[in-house]
Amino acid sequence: MIEKVIIKNYKSIDYLDLKLDDTINILVGNNEQGKSTILEAVNLALTSTLNKRNIHNELNPFLFNKTVVEDYIKKISIGKRVTPPSILIEIYFKEDNQNASLKGSNNSIKENACGISFSIEFDDDYTEEYQQYIEQSTNIRNIPIEYYKINSYSFASNPITSRSNPIKCVLIDPTEGKAWNGTDRYISSVIGDTLDPKQRATLNFNFRDIKENFSQIESISKINSTLSEKTGDISDKELAISLDISQKNGWESNLTAYLDDIPFDFIGKGEQNSVKLKLSLESNAEEAQVILIEEPENHLSHSNMQKLINQISEKCEGKQLIITTHSTYVLNKLGLDKVVLMNNGKHITLRDLNEDTFNYFKKLPGYDTLRLLLADKAILVEGPSDELIVQKAYLQKHNRLPIEDGIDIITVRGLSFKRFLEIADLLNKEVAVVTDNDGDIDKHIIEKYGDHYLKHPTIKICYSDDTRYATLEPQLVSVNELSILNDILGKDYTSEAELIKFMTSSGNKSECAMRIFDSNQKIIIPGYINDAIQ
């Protein structure tokens, strides 16, 4: 099993040192955080394939980290003679009899371990030609991939091929598959893998036989007779139509699967993805020790997701599973303690949190944890009323809701703010907290959050320093005219005290906030809420 993965300069990842659980690893994060890149890199190092083709056929400049490439081009442009950047992917295995031959210290951290080092790097054999290239070129815009080589060695310094590698891996992406002559290329190839050699031979033979007999059909013979009359007008040779029989295994591009007499491409997307994933597991999972799965939840309902996750768990028992997801259902089903949270080049697991916080999130359904992670930025509030007023404030200021700018407003109940902030702290997530002062700033703000969070570079604790107005509703009343709030709420109170009493009663808090949110009337927003939005 894989203990650790180190990735340098591959696509969106400039450097990653990721420890893995030997059973299940669930990679979670917003888009462009490198989840899929990790799966791709692991598969590349273990199989030397990318996009189902040998890496030699897929080598291109865009495999390299953009920042590294820009730095290289900048140095070249000012006359520095630097070696082009390289890509490194190292897979560290848990030592056992199967991979003992891979043990050595031929790795970037010089650790005596079992593993494989895969690199895409400049080939020194081209040094002279490369020097001429950079001296003669006046406008280099990318790295000269033509001068690169691919190396794959064990940590014991022995060359590694996909055949000699004792650790087998399969990458399953159910969303993959391009239309190819009206059929789904992915499903055809997976069906081919599922059949045994004798069945494939039978299928190829019968398919070719059908194609060869095509021209003997009476109506086709008449068409060919008509075409043969054109001999001399179009070509000196006789023109006819038939099916192509030149391909040895042509059925993959011409046959399609049917489900209940409906062509595969015409069934629902959820069923398509489910079938692809299950077929891939059937044909590949048995011999592989490492299973990589890309977002299995696509287009699936919770009931169908339940069946699929159960099947994944059964098929991958005793194997190492690395899976990417945006689904809280997948998180909860496979185990929150297996989650790797990713954000802006940083990653943590819930096991990195203190024990109390770890136990708290294990009991939590998982949705709010995922919302915090997937948002570009977040504002944490104490209840539904606060959430609505913050939404109103943002809408008034920007004429759009915060979620349209990647900002999620998350209601955090009780004393859980610091638990969420612990995750934000470890991931450098930008978060604002909108909280009541509850009439005592020292107790409810200073002592509760301390200097660490009150002076944090990416976390902002927003509260009012006026303890006469302890919670949200009194704060709203203090900055707005009674007539405006009365108009919005349909009341006619003549004093602040009466209005505050009405708005803070347990049955009215959410209703009042909803009326304010739905109203076209602009209100004055308390300063501490504006601070959070800012």
Side-chain angles (χ1 to χ4, degrees):
M1 300 304 178
I2 300 173
E3 285 191 329
K4 180 169 65 177
V5 177
I6 290 180
I7 302 172
K8 293 181 181 179
N9 300 338
Y10 185 64
K11 291 192 173 180
S12 63
I13 298 173
D14 55 358
Y15 182 80
L16 175 79
D17 185 339
L18 177 64
K19 291 181 172 61
L20 294 174
D21 186 274
D22 59 6
T23 55
I24 297 174
N25 300 270
I26 310 168
L27 307 183
V28 178
N30 207 343
N31 294 330
E32 305 301 321
Q33 296 300 321
K35 306 183 302 297
S36 301
T37 302
I38 292 172
L39 297 193
E40 191 175 276
V42 170
N43 186 65
L44 176 57
L46 294 181
T47 68
S48 295
T49 61
L50 182 65
N51 302 324
K52 295 188 177 297
R53 302 177 69 203
N54 188 281
I55 183 58
H56 289 88
N57 300 318
E58 292 290 305
L59 205 56
N60 68 80
F62 301 102
L63 298 180
F64 292 76
N65 181 264
K66 183 179 179 182
T67 302
V68 173
V69 173
E70 289 174 347
D71 181 63
Y72 163 73
I73 294 172
K74 182 179 179 180
K75 289 177 179 176
I76 289 292
S77 67
I78 60 175
K80 291 187 177 181
R81 297 299 180 251
V82 294
T83 302
S86 60
I87 291 171
L88 176 67
I89 306 169
E90 292 180 336
I91 311 294
Y92 293 73
F93 298 117
K94 187 175 183 179
E95 186 175 354
D96 57 30
N97 292 333
Q98 187 179 20
N99 57 40
S101 63
L102 306 177
K103 190 171 184 178
S105 56
N106 178 33
N107 53 68
S108 60
I109 59 177
K110 303 306 177 184
E111 178 181 318
N112 190 27
C114 295
I116 290 173
S117 177
F118 177 92
S119 64
I120 302 174
E121 59 188 39
F122 177 73
D123 189 341
D124 291 335
D125 289 345
Y126 292 103
T127 298
E128 185 176 344
E129 189 174 339
Y130 168 69
Q131 291 298 333
Q132 293 176 356
Y133 165 74
I134 59 177
E135 288 171 5
Q136 295 171 1
S137 300
T138 58
N139 188 20
I140 296 176
R141 295 186 177 182
N142 223 316
I143 58 175
I145 199 69
E146 298 79 10
Y147 302 140
Y148 274 72
K149 64 180 178 179
I150 296 165
N151 291 325
S152 186
Y153 286 91
S154 71
F155 289 174
S157 299
N158 297 315
I160 288 289
T161 66
S162 57
R163 288 187 177 182
S164 63
N165 180 8
I167 308 300
K168 303 304 177 185
C169 164
V170 59
L171 172 61
I172 301 172
D173 183 359
T175 64
E176 184 186 49
K178 298 178 182 178
W180 192 23
N181 292 343
T183 70
D184 189 292
R185 184 174 184 173
Y186 185 95
I187 196 72
S188 296
S189 65
V190 171
I191 288 174
D193 290 340
T194 304
L195 305 177
D196 62 38
K198 186 176 181 181
Q199 289 172 319
R200 285 197 297 272
T202 300
L203 182 57
N204 289 329
F205 173 80
N206 284 284
F207 182 71
R208 189 171 65 253
D209 188 52
I210 290 171
K211 290 198 293 184
E212 290 172 344
N213 289 323
F214 176 78
S215 60
Q216 304 304 315
I217 298 173
E218 183 178 355
S219 58
I220 302 301
S221 294
K222 290 180 179 179
I223 292 172
N224 283 334
S225 295
T226 302
L227 289 173
S228 68
E229 295 173 1
K230 302 293 183 180
T231 301
D233 295 338
I234 298 173
S235 171
D236 292 337
K237 296 180 173 59
E238 185 173 309
L239 177 66
I241 60 169
S242 187
L243 295 179
D244 182 10
I245 61 173
S246 61
Q247 292 179 325
K248 180 181 178 182
N249 300 319
W251 68 269
E252 294 97 332
S253 60
N254 290 278
L255 299 186
T256 189
Y258 280 73
L259 292 180
D260 286 344
D261 296 327
I262 298 175
F264 185 81
D265 286 348
F266 288 86
I267 65 175
K269 291 294 184 183
E271 183 71 7
Q272 283 188 32
N273 288 344
S274 179
V275 169
K276 289 177 182 180
L277 198 151
K278 292 172 188 175
L279 273 173
S280 293
L281 287 174
E282 286 288 340
S283 59
N284 297 310
E286 186 171 338
E287 63 180 21
Q289 295 96 336
V290 179
I291 312 292
L292 313 171
I293 301 179
E294 177 79 27
E295 295 186 14
E297 71 270 12
N298 278 293
H299 306 289
L300 289 177
S301 65
H302 273 195
S303 58
N304 287 325
M305 195 68 228
Q306 164 87 21
K307 297 176 185 176
L308 183 59
I309 292 298
N310 285 341
Q311 287 176 302
I312 290 174
S313 298
E314 291 172 7
K315 287 291 181 183
C316 297
E317 186 174 357
K319 303 177 186 295
Q320 186 175 36
L321 175 64
I322 308 175
I323 188 169
T324 69
T325 186
H326 289 111
S327 168
T328 55
Y329 187 87
V330 174
L331 297 187
N332 295 330
K333 187 69 179 174
L334 293 178
L336 274 169
D337 56 332
K338 307 296 185 181
V339 171
V340 179
L341 309 175
M342 304 184 65
N343 183 69
N344 291 332
K346 291 184 173 290
H347 64 273
I348 65 168
T349 69
L350 293 185
R351 294 184 295 275
D352 295 321
L353 305 173
N354 69 57
E355 187 175 357
D356 288 344
T357 304
F358 171 70
N359 290 331
Y360 169 81
F361 282 114
K362 279 193 69 174
K363 296 172 185 176
L364 199 68
Y367 179 56
D368 288 338
T369 316
L370 196 59
R371 285 176 63 188
L372 173 64
L373 187 70
L374 296 182
D376 293 334
K377 301 177 182 180
I379 300 177
L380 307 182
V381 299
E382 293 188 358
S385 301
D386 305 79
E387 181 178 345
L388 287 166
I389 299 304
V390 172
Q391 299 266 16
K392 172 77 171 182
Y394 199 95
L395 189 60
Q396 281 190 177
K397 183 175 178 66
H398 298 292
N399 200 33
R400 59 184 179 271
L401 292 172
I403 197 66
E404 296 177 61
D405 291 330
I407 302 169
D408 202 356
I409 315 299
I410 304 172
T411 298
V412 179
R413 301 187 181 278
L415 302 175
S416 305
F417 278 110
K418 290 178 67 175
R419 302 195 190 282
F420 281 83
L421 293 182
E422 192 176 339
I423 291 178
D425 184 15
L426 289 171
L427 291 175
N428 284 345
K429 174 74 71 173
E430 290 192 62
V431 173
V433 173
V434 173
T435 184
D436 297 330
N437 63 44
D438 291 321
D440 189 336
I441 292 175
D442 285 339
K443 179 180 179 181
H444 297 292
I445 305 297
I446 307 300
E447 293 179 14
K448 180 178 180 179
Y449 294 103
D451 283 348
H452 180 70
Y453 290 123
L454 290 172
K455 298 179 180 179
H456 199 283
T458 62
I459 294 171
K460 174 82 170 174
I461 310 298
C462 304
Y463 61 95
S464 171
D465 57 6
D466 190 342
T467 55
R468 293 174 301 167
Y469 304 100
T471 58
L472 172 68
E473 291 77 16
Q475 287 287 338
L476 287 170
V477 172
S478 73
V479 295
N480 285 280
E481 295 181 11
L482 284 178
S483 59
I484 292 177
L485 292 178
N486 275 328
D487 183 50
I488 292 173
L489 301 176
K491 301 297 177 182
D492 56 2
Y493 292 110
T494 58
S495 71
E496 284 189 357
E498 289 178 308
L499 184 55
I500 289 172
K501 183 177 179 181
F502 168 75
M503 293 178 68
T504 54
S505 63
S506 59
N508 295 330
K509 289 172 69 73
S510 295
E511 178 64 24
C512 289
M514 182 63 76
R515 283 177 175 268
I516 293 172
F517 177 80
D518 287 337
S519 174
N520 292 325
Q521 178 96 36
K522 279 199 170 186
I523 65 168
I524 298 173
I525 302 299
Y528 69 103
I529 293 178
N530 279 327
D531 288 344
I533 291 171
Q534 185 65 38

Short mmCIF file of all heavy atoms in Angstrom, two decimals, residues 60-106:
data_model
loop_
_atom_site.label_atom_id
_atom_site.label_comp_id
_atom_site.label_asym_id
_atom_site.label_seq_id
_atom_site.Cartn_x
_atom_site.Cartn_y
_atom_site.Cartn_z
N ASN A 60 3.72 16.96 -23.05
CA ASN A 60 3.49 18.31 -23.56
C ASN A 60 3.85 19.33 -22.48
O ASN A 60 3.91 19.00 -21.29
CB ASN A 60 2.03 18.48 -24.02
CG ASN A 60 1.06 18.43 -22.87
OD1 ASN A 60 0.88 19.42 -22.16
ND2 ASN A 60 0.42 17.27 -22.67
N PRO A 61 4.09 20.59 -22.85
CA PRO A 61 4.56 21.60 -21.89
C PRO A 61 3.56 21.90 -20.78
O PRO A 61 3.95 22.42 -19.73
CB PRO A 61 4.79 22.84 -22.76
CG PRO A 61 4.90 22.34 -24.16
CD PRO A 61 4.05 21.13 -24.21
N PHE A 62 2.28 21.60 -21.02
CA PHE A 62 1.26 21.98 -20.05
C PHE A 62 1.12 21.00 -18.89
O PHE A 62 0.27 21.15 -18.03
CB PHE A 62 -0.08 22.18 -20.77
CG PHE A 62 -0.01 23.23 -21.84
CD1 PHE A 62 0.09 22.87 -23.18
CD2 PHE A 62 0.04 24.57 -21.51
CE1 PHE A 62 0.20 23.83 -24.17
CE2 PHE A 62 0.14 25.55 -22.49
CZ PHE A 62 0.22 25.17 -23.82
N LEU A 63 1.97 19.98 -18.88
CA LEU A 63 2.03 19.09 -17.72
C LEU A 63 2.79 19.75 -16.57
O LEU A 63 2.68 19.34 -15.42
CB LEU A 63 2.72 17.78 -18.08
CG LEU A 63 2.05 16.91 -19.15
CD1 LEU A 63 2.87 15.65 -19.39
CD2 LEU A 63 0.63 16.55 -18.74
N PHE A 64 3.56 20.80 -16.87
CA PHE A 64 4.41 21.44 -15.87
C PHE A 64 3.64 22.54 -15.14
O PHE A 64 2.80 23.22 -15.73
CB PHE A 64 5.66 22.02 -16.54
CG PHE A 64 6.60 20.98 -17.07
CD1 PHE A 64 6.32 20.31 -18.26
CD2 PHE A 64 7.76 20.66 -16.40
CE1 PHE A 64 7.16 19.34 -18.76
CE2 PHE A 64 8.63 19.69 -16.89
CZ PHE A 64 8.33 19.03 -18.06
N ASN A 65 3.98 22.72 -13.88
CA ASN A 65 3.35 23.75 -13.06
C ASN A 65 3.55 25.12 -13.70
O ASN A 65 4.67 25.50 -14.07
CB ASN A 65 3.95 23.72 -11.65
CG ASN A 65 3.34 24.75 -10.75
OD1 ASN A 65 3.88 25.84 -10.58
ND2 ASN A 65 2.20 24.43 -10.15
N LYS A 66 2.48 25.87 -13.83
CA LYS A 66 2.50 27.15 -14.53
C LYS A 66 3.49 28.14 -13.91
O LYS A 66 4.23 28.82 -14.62
CB LYS A 66 1.09 27.75 -14.55
CG LYS A 66 0.99 29.05 -15.32
CD LYS A 66 -0.44 29.58 -15.30
CE LYS A 66 -0.53 30.90 -16.06
NZ LYS A 66 -1.91 31.46 -16.01
N THR A 67 3.51 28.21 -12.59
CA THR A 67 4.40 29.16 -11.92
C THR A 67 5.87 28.83 -12.20
O THR A 67 6.69 29.73 -12.43
CB THR A 67 4.14 29.14 -10.40
OG1 THR A 67 2.77 29.46 -10.16
CG2 THR A 67 5.02 30.15 -9.69
N VAL A 68 6.20 27.54 -12.18
CA VAL A 68 7.57 27.11 -12.44
C VAL A 68 7.98 27.44 -13.87
O VAL A 68 9.10 27.89 -14.13
CB VAL A 68 7.71 25.59 -12.17
CG1 VAL A 68 9.09 25.10 -12.60
CG2 VAL A 68 7.48 25.28 -10.71
N VAL A 69 7.05 27.23 -14.80
CA VAL A 69 7.33 27.54 -16.21
C VAL A 69 7.53 29.04 -16.40
O VAL A 69 8.46 29.48 -17.10
CB VAL A 69 6.18 27.04 -17.11
CG1 VAL A 69 6.38 27.51 -18.55
CG2 VAL A 69 6.10 25.52 -17.07
N GLU A 70 6.68 29.85 -15.77
CA GLU A 70 6.81 31.32 -15.88
C GLU A 70 8.14 31.80 -15.32
O GLU A 70 8.78 32.69 -15.88
CB GLU A 70 5.64 32.00 -15.16
CG GLU A 70 4.31 31.83 -15.89
CD GLU A 70 3.15 32.39 -15.09
OE1 GLU A 70 3.34 32.67 -13.88
OE2 GLU A 70 2.05 32.53 -15.67
N ASP A 71 8.57 31.20 -14.22
CA ASP A 71 9.85 31.57 -13.62
C ASP A 71 11.00 31.21 -14.56
O ASP A 71 11.95 31.98 -14.72
CB ASP A 71 10.01 30.86 -12.27
CG ASP A 71 11.31 31.22 -11.57
OD1 ASP A 71 11.49 32.41 -11.25
OD2 ASP A 71 12.14 30.32 -11.36
N TYR A 72 10.91 30.04 -15.17
CA TYR A 72 11.94 29.60 -16.12
C TYR A 72 12.03 30.56 -17.31
O TYR A 72 13.12 31.01 -17.70
CB TYR A 72 11.63 28.18 -16.60
CG TYR A 72 12.35 27.77 -17.85
CD1 TYR A 72 13.71 27.48 -17.84
CD2 TYR A 72 11.67 27.70 -19.07
CE1 TYR A 72 14.38 27.11 -19.01
CE2 TYR A 72 12.32 27.33 -20.23
CZ TYR A 72 13.68 27.04 -20.20
OH TYR A 72 14.34 26.68 -21.35
N ILE A 73 10.88 30.91 -17.89
CA ILE A 73 10.85 31.80 -19.06
C ILE A 73 11.39 33.19 -18.69
O ILE A 73 12.12 33.81 -19.47
CB ILE A 73 9.42 31.89 -19.62
CG1 ILE A 73 8.99 30.53 -20.18
CG2 ILE A 73 9.31 32.97 -20.69
CD1 ILE A 73 7.54 30.46 -20.58
N LYS A 74 11.05 33.66 -17.50
CA LYS A 74 11.54 34.97 -17.06
C LYS A 74 13.06 34.99 -16.98
O LYS A 74 13.71 35.95 -17.41
CB LYS A 74 10.92 35.30 -15.70
CG LYS A 74 11.31 36.67 -15.17
CD LYS A 74 10.64 36.94 -13.82
CE LYS A 74 11.06 38.30 -13.27
NZ LYS A 74 10.41 38.58 -11.95
N LYS A 75 13.62 33.92 -16.41
CA LYS A 75 15.09 33.86 -16.29
C LYS A 75 15.76 33.77 -17.66
O LYS A 75 16.79 34.41 -17.90
CB LYS A 75 15.48 32.66 -15.43
CG LYS A 75 15.13 32.83 -13.95
CD LYS A 75 15.47 31.60 -13.14
CE LYS A 75 15.13 31.81 -11.66
NZ LYS A 75 15.37 30.59 -10.87
N ILE A 76 15.17 32.97 -18.56
CA ILE A 76 15.73 32.85 -19.90
C ILE A 76 15.69 34.21 -20.62
O ILE A 76 16.63 34.60 -21.33
CB ILE A 76 14.96 31.79 -20.71
CG1 ILE A 76 15.27 30.38 -20.18
CG2 ILE A 76 15.29 31.88 -22.20
CD1 ILE A 76 16.68 29.92 -20.41
N SER A 77 14.59 34.95 -20.40
CA SER A 77 14.41 36.23 -21.12
C SER A 77 15.43 37.29 -20.70
O SER A 77 15.69 38.22 -21.46
CB SER A 77 13.00 36.76 -20.88
OG SER A 77 12.80 37.12 -19.53
N ILE A 78 16.00 37.14 -19.50
CA ILE A 78 17.00 38.12 -19.05
C ILE A 78 18.42 37.58 -19.18
O ILE A 78 19.36 38.12 -18.59
CB ILE A 78 16.72 38.58 -17.60
CG1 ILE A 78 16.77 37.40 -16.63
CG2 ILE A 78 15.40 39.30 -17.50
CD1 ILE A 78 16.61 37.81 -15.16
N GLY A 79 18.54 36.50 -19.96
CA GLY A 79 19.87 36.01 -20.30
C GLY A 79 20.45 34.96 -19.39
O GLY A 79 21.60 34.54 -19.58
N LYS A 80 19.69 34.50 -18.38
CA LYS A 80 20.21 33.46 -17.50
C LYS A 80 20.13 32.11 -18.22
O LYS A 80 19.12 31.78 -18.84
CB LYS A 80 19.42 33.41 -16.19
CG LYS A 80 19.65 34.62 -15.29
CD LYS A 80 18.97 34.43 -13.95
CE LYS A 80 19.27 35.60 -13.01
NZ LYS A 80 18.63 35.42 -11.68
N ARG A 81 21.20 31.34 -18.12
CA ARG A 81 21.24 30.02 -18.76
C ARG A 81 20.89 28.96 -17.73
O ARG A 81 21.77 28.41 -17.06
CB ARG A 81 22.62 29.78 -19.37
CG ARG A 81 22.97 30.75 -20.47
CD ARG A 81 21.97 30.65 -21.63
NE ARG A 81 22.27 31.58 -22.72
CZ ARG A 81 21.54 32.64 -22.99
NH1 ARG A 81 20.50 32.94 -22.21
NH2 ARG A 81 21.82 33.42 -24.01
N VAL A 82 19.60 28.69 -17.58
CA VAL A 82 19.14 27.76 -16.54
C VAL A 82 18.64 26.48 -17.20
O VAL A 82 18.20 26.46 -18.35
CB VAL A 82 18.01 28.38 -15.69
CG1 VAL A 82 18.54 29.56 -14.90
CG2 VAL A 82 16.84 28.82 -16.56
N THR A 83 18.73 25.39 -16.44
CA THR A 83 18.20 24.11 -16.90
C THR A 83 16.67 24.15 -16.84
O THR A 83 16.10 24.65 -15.87
CB THR A 83 18.72 22.96 -16.01
OG1 THR A 83 20.15 22.97 -16.03
CG2 THR A 83 18.20 21.62 -16.50
N PRO A 84 15.98 23.64 -17.84
CA PRO A 84 14.52 23.63 -17.81
C PRO A 84 13.99 22.87 -16.59
O PRO A 84 14.65 21.96 -16.08
CB PRO A 84 14.15 22.92 -19.11
CG PRO A 84 15.31 23.10 -20.00
CD PRO A 84 16.51 23.08 -19.09
N PRO A 85 12.79 23.22 -16.10
CA PRO A 85 12.24 22.56 -14.91
C PRO A 85 11.90 21.10 -15.16
O PRO A 85 11.79 20.66 -16.31
CB PRO A 85 10.98 23.38 -14.62
CG PRO A 85 10.59 23.97 -15.94
CD PRO A 85 11.88 24.24 -16.64
N SER A 86 11.77 20.37 -14.08
CA SER A 86 11.44 18.94 -14.17
C SER A 86 10.21 18.62 -13.33
O SER A 86 9.83 19.39 -12.45
CB SER A 86 12.62 18.09 -13.72
OG SER A 86 12.95 18.38 -12.37
N ILE A 87 9.61 17.50 -13.62
CA ILE A 87 8.48 16.97 -12.85
C ILE A 87 8.96 15.76 -12.09
O ILE A 87 9.67 14.90 -12.63
CB ILE A 87 7.31 16.59 -13.78
CG1 ILE A 87 6.66 17.84 -14.39
CG2 ILE A 87 6.26 15.77 -13.03
CD1 ILE A 87 5.65 17.54 -15.47
N LEU A 88 8.57 15.66 -10.82
CA LEU A 88 8.94 14.50 -10.01
C LEU A 88 7.70 13.98 -9.29
O LEU A 88 6.95 14.74 -8.68
CB LEU A 88 10.00 14.89 -8.98
CG LEU A 88 10.41 13.78 -8.00
CD1 LEU A 88 11.13 12.65 -8.74
CD2 LEU A 88 11.28 14.33 -6.88
N ILE A 89 7.49 12.68 -9.39
CA ILE A 89 6.42 12.01 -8.65
C ILE A 89 7.05 10.81 -7.94
O ILE A 89 7.59 9.91 -8.60
CB ILE A 89 5.28 11.52 -9.56
CG1 ILE A 89 4.74 12.68 -10.42
CG2 ILE A 89 4.16 10.90 -8.73
CD1 ILE A 89 3.79 12.23 -11.51
N GLU A 90 6.99 10.81 -6.61
CA GLU A 90 7.55 9.70 -5.83
C GLU A 90 6.43 9.01 -5.07
O GLU A 90 5.62 9.67 -4.40
CB GLU A 90 8.61 10.21 -4.86
CG GLU A 90 9.86 10.72 -5.56
CD GLU A 90 10.91 11.23 -4.59
OE1 GLU A 90 10.53 11.62 -3.44
OE2 GLU A 90 12.09 11.26 -4.96
N ILE A 91 6.42 7.69 -5.16
CA ILE A 91 5.43 6.88 -4.46
C ILE A 91 6.16 6.05 -3.40
O ILE A 91 7.02 5.22 -3.75
CB ILE A 91 4.67 5.94 -5.42
CG1 ILE A 91 4.16 6.71 -6.65
CG2 ILE A 91 3.54 5.24 -4.70
CD1 ILE A 91 3.10 7.74 -6.36
N TYR A 92 5.85 6.28 -2.14
CA TYR A 92 6.47 5.56 -1.03
C TYR A 92 5.50 4.46 -0.56
O TYR A 92 4.36 4.74 -0.21
CB TYR A 92 6.77 6.51 0.13
CG TYR A 92 7.83 7.53 -0.17
CD1 TYR A 92 7.58 8.61 -1.01
CD2 TYR A 92 9.10 7.41 0.39
CE1 TYR A 92 8.56 9.55 -1.31
CE2 TYR A 92 10.10 8.36 0.11
CZ TYR A 92 9.81 9.42 -0.73
OH TYR A 92 10.79 10.35 -1.02
N PHE A 93 6.00 3.21 -0.56
CA PHE A 93 5.15 2.07 -0.19
C PHE A 93 5.42 1.59 1.23
O PHE A 93 6.52 1.77 1.76
CB PHE A 93 5.39 0.89 -1.15
CG PHE A 93 5.06 1.18 -2.58
CD1 PHE A 93 6.06 1.15 -3.54
CD2 PHE A 93 3.77 1.47 -2.96
CE1 PHE A 93 5.77 1.41 -4.87
CE2 PHE A 93 3.46 1.74 -4.29
CZ PHE A 93 4.47 1.71 -5.25
N LYS A 94 4.40 1.00 1.80
CA LYS A 94 4.58 0.28 3.06
C LYS A 94 5.37 -0.99 2.75
O LYS A 94 4.99 -1.76 1.88
CB LYS A 94 3.21 -0.05 3.66
CG LYS A 94 3.27 -0.65 5.05
CD LYS A 94 1.86 -0.83 5.60
CE LYS A 94 1.89 -1.37 7.02
NZ LYS A 94 0.52 -1.52 7.57
N GLU A 95 6.45 -1.21 3.47
CA GLU A 95 7.34 -2.32 3.13
C GLU A 95 6.70 -3.68 3.41
O GLU A 95 6.11 -3.91 4.46
CB GLU A 95 8.66 -2.21 3.92
CG GLU A 95 9.69 -3.25 3.52
CD GLU A 95 11.01 -3.06 4.22
OE1 GLU A 95 11.17 -2.03 4.95
OE2 GLU A 95 11.89 -3.92 4.07
N ASP A 96 6.81 -4.57 2.42
CA ASP A 96 6.39 -5.96 2.60
C ASP A 96 7.18 -6.81 1.62
O ASP A 96 8.02 -6.31 0.87
CB ASP A 96 4.86 -6.13 2.39
CG ASP A 96 4.39 -5.63 1.03
OD1 ASP A 96 5.19 -5.70 0.06
OD2 ASP A 96 3.23 -5.19 0.91
N ASN A 97 6.91 -8.11 1.61
CA ASN A 97 7.68 -9.02 0.75
C ASN A 97 7.51 -8.70 -0.73
O ASN A 97 8.40 -8.92 -1.54
CB ASN A 97 7.26 -10.47 1.02
CG ASN A 97 7.66 -10.92 2.41
OD1 ASN A 97 8.64 -10.42 2.98
ND2 ASN A 97 6.93 -11.87 2.98
N GLN A 98 6.34 -8.17 -1.09
CA GLN A 98 6.04 -7.91 -2.49
C GLN A 98 6.90 -6.79 -3.08
O GLN A 98 7.30 -6.85 -4.24
CB GLN A 98 4.55 -7.56 -2.64
CG GLN A 98 4.09 -7.44 -4.09
CD GLN A 98 2.61 -7.12 -4.18
OE1 GLN A 98 2.00 -6.65 -3.24
NE2 GLN A 98 2.03 -7.39 -5.34
N ASN A 99 7.17 -5.77 -2.27
CA ASN A 99 7.90 -4.62 -2.82
C ASN A 99 9.28 -4.43 -2.21
O ASN A 99 9.89 -3.37 -2.36
CB ASN A 99 7.08 -3.34 -2.66
CG ASN A 99 6.71 -3.06 -1.22
OD1 ASN A 99 7.52 -3.27 -0.30
ND2 ASN A 99 5.49 -2.61 -0.99
N ALA A 100 9.80 -5.44 -1.52
CA ALA A 100 11.11 -5.32 -0.86
C ALA A 100 12.21 -4.97 -1.84
O ALA A 100 13.18 -4.27 -1.49
CB ALA A 100 11.43 -6.62 -0.12
N SER A 101 12.08 -5.40 -3.10
CA SER A 101 13.12 -5.13 -4.10
C SER A 101 13.20 -3.66 -4.48
O SER A 101 14.15 -3.23 -5.12
CB SER A 101 12.87 -5.97 -5.36
OG SER A 101 11.64 -5.61 -5.95
N LEU A 102 12.20 -2.88 -4.09
CA LEU A 102 12.16 -1.46 -4.44
C LEU A 102 12.85 -0.59 -3.39
O LEU A 102 12.92 0.62 -3.54
CB LEU A 102 10.71 -0.98 -4.58
CG LEU A 102 9.80 -1.76 -5.55
CD1 LEU A 102 8.39 -1.19 -5.51
CD2 LEU A 102 10.36 -1.71 -6.96
N LYS A 103 13.38 -1.20 -2.34
CA LYS A 103 13.90 -0.43 -1.20
C LYS A 103 15.27 0.16 -1.49
O LYS A 103 16.16 -0.50 -2.03
CB LYS A 103 13.97 -1.31 0.05
CG LYS A 103 14.28 -0.52 1.31
CD LYS A 103 14.13 -1.39 2.55
CE LYS A 103 14.34 -0.56 3.81
NZ LYS A 103 14.16 -1.36 5.05
N GLY A 104 15.41 1.42 -1.11
CA GLY A 104 16.68 2.13 -1.26
C GLY A 104 16.49 3.59 -0.89
O GLY A 104 15.44 3.99 -0.38
N SER A 105 17.50 4.39 -1.15
CA SER A 105 17.43 5.82 -0.78
C SER A 105 17.50 6.72 -2.00
O SER A 105 17.83 7.91 -1.89
CB SER A 105 18.56 6.16 0.19
OG SER A 105 19.82 5.83 -0.37
N ASN A 106 17.18 6.17 -3.17
CA ASN A 106 17.17 6.97 -4.40
C ASN A 106 15.87 7.77 -4.50
O ASN A 106 15.01 7.52 -5.33
CB ASN A 106 17.33 6.04 -5.62
CG ASN A 106 17.28 6.82 -6.93
OD1 ASN A 106 17.73 7.95 -7.00
ND2 ASN A 106 16.73 6.18 -7.96
#
